[in-house]
Amino acid sequence: MYRCMLRFSELPWQCPVRCMSSSAGKRRAVHSSFPVLNLPLHPIQHHVYEANMRNSNACHKKYTELREKVNKGGGENAITRHTKRNRKLLVRDRLRLLLDDDDFLELSPFAGLGLPYGDIPSAGCLTGIGRISGLWCVFIANDATVKGGTAYPITVKKQLRAQEIAIQNRLPCVYLVDSGGAFLPLQSEIFPDKNQGGRTFYNEAIMSAMKIPQVAVVCGSCTAGGAYIPTMAEEAVMVHQIGTIFLGGPPLVKAATGEEVTPEELGGARLHAEVSGCVDHFAWEEKETFDYTKNIVSTFNFQLPDEEEDRSKRKAVEEPLYSSEELMGLAPRSYNYSLDVKMIVSRLTDGSRFQEFKALYGTTLVTGFAKIHGHLVGIVANNGVLSYEAALKGSHFIQLCDQRDIPLIFLQNTAPSEALTLSTKQAEINSNRLKAQGSMMAAVACASVPKITVVTGGCHGADSYAMCGRAFEPNFLFLWPNARVSVTAPGHVGALLPRDDHEEEEKLNRRLDEESSAFFSSGRMWDDGVILPQDTRQILRDSLDIIKQQHYQLSTKKSQSVLLRM
């Protein structure tokens, strides 16, 4: 009787299993020889492929134009003022000095474009993940050429998402602070709510308690709320005669007391390094701050794999049998132009190999195992309407991957609209499908393994939730430029409206056509960025490498309170 009452966590075999998994990095992976997906393009598919290719080229052109726009920041005049008058480096030049190389994953570069209050290129700050001293780190870097570094609602949203990624993947975080504080006319959308300005500082405290290292580099103004970022980081570096930290600047001091004071006297690097102790490292020039930062990062307690061994593993990886450029012709211009999703899978996986799971059941959802740059992954891919059988199959496979600690890759291209209920038979089918989709949603929500979603076509309706949409918190979510994100696809809104209301239908279809585009979505940060189809394999590799790094951090289990600076 006593043995039956033992708690599950106290069973005698539980500890050895946990100990074995902690040393997994030292053991050789189980050999696999998955079947090859031999799926070349057939002549009968050429007209669809060519139509998709034309659409992808048009999307690529828009992508390039928007890239050029955001790379210019606040424009020529703002850049001149920033570099000549203020004698500061541009944000991308700072990143070149900080990161080991230019191979970094930039997040949401199109955030802030096309908003009701105007264009805010890159939301006024660059966020991403790059290597510093060999370690993947999240960076949050203000771009003071955009509106003087003022924080808009979209700026706050972008910074919070970067912190969320750092927390979810246990990544060190580096803040390059050059901020003028909140944009006051929009204060009601920046200050009061839970996921607005104050959440940044809450996250800093939580990350410190979780032993996620944080470093702040003060390379410009830290005014008002911006002043708390370096003072709550674990270590801070500040530049002489460029960096300042104060709640209210010299004009506010003069208005309040009549006293005239310079920014350097009020909150300069020498004051905070020698008197207040708010910063830990004093730098004479900007370039010196990045040497300090790299040295700080090298003190983080990570034990990374041997570089030579890692390089040899990368060389041993099998490339897909087909060119990644062909993915542009497989990116559907609309749902009706979708080809077999296994053709996409075969252009993403190592050696085009794929071990399919339940191949003959629920065929409108493709599930199976593959490797991407040596990482074992489970793939869940739409190949038609998410039927009752397909949803059950998806639930089974997701739980299987969760049990085996295998990351999940979702390739999402959902049906444009729900099936109408026009008969008792159809009502029964829809009810069963609804229950099965609910089970799949629960499996996705409760799966504790990393999840990466790539929207290759449509992201519509409840099907998108079951395929790990934004609300289900994937570690990363990316869109192809041809993707559409809306409750129903443009041209299909009639199914949701009363009959014969043609004027309203036409009006909503026009609105959906504009608001469902990938660039509209990315401007509002409903994703982590628009990526080109041909770059997907490399971005998945980087994402999986980034997620895996947390296993190399030492001493994460020791409980710790928040690190208080003074």
Side-chain angles (χ1 to χ4, degrees), residues 389-408:
E389 294 83 3
L392 287 181
K393 169 181 168 176
S395 299
H396 184 174
F397 183 72
I398 289 162
Q399 291 173 75
L400 190 64
C401 288
D402 192 37
Q403 187 183 52
R404 296 176 185 174
D405 285 333
I406 297 172
L408 285 159

Side-chain angles (χ1 to χ4, degrees), residues 157-177:
K157 188 175 183 181
K158 189 171 182 179
Q159 291 174 343
L160 291 179
R161 175 57 185 157
Q163 287 182 317
E164 183 184 343
I165 287 171
I167 292 169
Q168 200 171 17
N169 302 293
R170 295 195 61 87
L171 294 169
C173 191
V174 177
Y175 306 90
L176 303 185
V177 195

Side-chain angles (χ1 to χ4, degrees), residues 192-397:
D193 209 353
K194 175 184 174 182
N195 286 319
Q196 291 181 353
R199 192 72 178 189
T200 305
F201 315 125
Y202 173 87
N203 286 345
E204 279 196 77
I206 292 299
M207 288 161 73
S208 183
M210 290 175 67
K211 301 191 73 175
I212 297 173
Q214 298 168 89
V215 181
V217 181
V218 183
C219 43
S221 176
C222 285
T223 307
Y228 292 104
I229 291 174
T231 54
M232 291 187 71
E234 289 155 12
E235 287 194 60
V237 188
M238 195 168 179
V239 194
H240 182 53
Q241 292 188 334
I242 290 179
T244 54
I245 301 175
F246 35 60
L247 292 176
L252 202 62
V253 172
K254 186 173 182 181
T257 66
E259 183 182 354
E260 291 191 5
V261 62
T262 66
E264 192 65 21
E265 291 169 334
L266 184 64
R270 191 178 287 279
L271 173 88
H272 286 303
E274 296 177 358
V275 181
S276 76
C278 279
V279 298
D280 310 294
H281 306 279
F282 174 92
W284 287 102
E285 58 178 6
E286 274 204 71
K287 291 179 182 178
E288 190 182 350
T289 63
F290 302 114
D291 292 333
Y292 274 123
T293 307
K294 288 178 180 180
N295 289 335
I296 293 168
V297 170
S298 68
T299 68
F300 298 164
N301 206 7
F302 283 78
Q303 189 171 7
L304 299 176
D306 181 68
E307 285 185 26
E308 195 61 41
E309 183 184 336
D310 192 48
R311 202 175 294 118
S312 63
K313 280 183 180 178
R314 287 189 184 278
K315 285 181 181 177
V317 166
E318 280 186 281
E319 288 300 314
L321 299 180
Y322 309 98
S323 169
S324 60
E325 296 295 325
E326 292 183 10
L327 289 168
M328 292 182 71
L330 299 175
R333 58 177 292 180
S334 69
Y335 189 74
N336 294 335
Y337 283 76
S338 302
L339 294 170
D340 187 351
V341 75
K342 290 180 198 172
M343 296 178 74
I344 293 177
V345 172
S346 68
R347 285 147 180 85
L348 294 176
T349 61
D350 293 356
S352 299
R353 296 180 181 276
F354 183 62
Q355 173 68 32
E356 192 166 359
F357 177 77
K358 282 187 184 289
L360 303 180
Y361 182 79
T363 54
T364 55
L365 187 73
V366 171
T367 57
F369 301 100
K371 288 190 175 180
I372 296 177
H373 282 275
H375 294 279
L376 179 63
V377 295
I379 293 177
V380 182
N382 289 116
N383 207 26
V385 174
L386 190 62
S387 63
Y388 166 76
E389 294 83 3
L392 287 181
K393 169 181 168 176
S395 299
H396 184 174
F397 183 72

Side-chain angles (χ1 to χ4, degrees), residues 14 81 95 101 108 126 157-158 164 172 257 271 278 297 318 332 345 391 409 416 528 551 557:
Q14 190 73 8
R81 185 166 57 250
L95 291 175
D101 50 49
S108 304
L126 267 65
K157 188 175 183 181
K158 189 171 182 179
E164 183 184 343
T257 66
L271 173 88
C278 279
V297 170
E318 280 186 281
V345 172
I409 308 288
D528 294 315
H551 300 301
K557 293 180 182 177

Side-chain angles (χ1 to χ4, degrees), residues 14-26:
Q14 190 73 8
C15 182
V17 170
R18 189 181 294 126
C19 295
M20 283 167 62
S21 64
S22 68
S23 61
K26 300 175 185 176

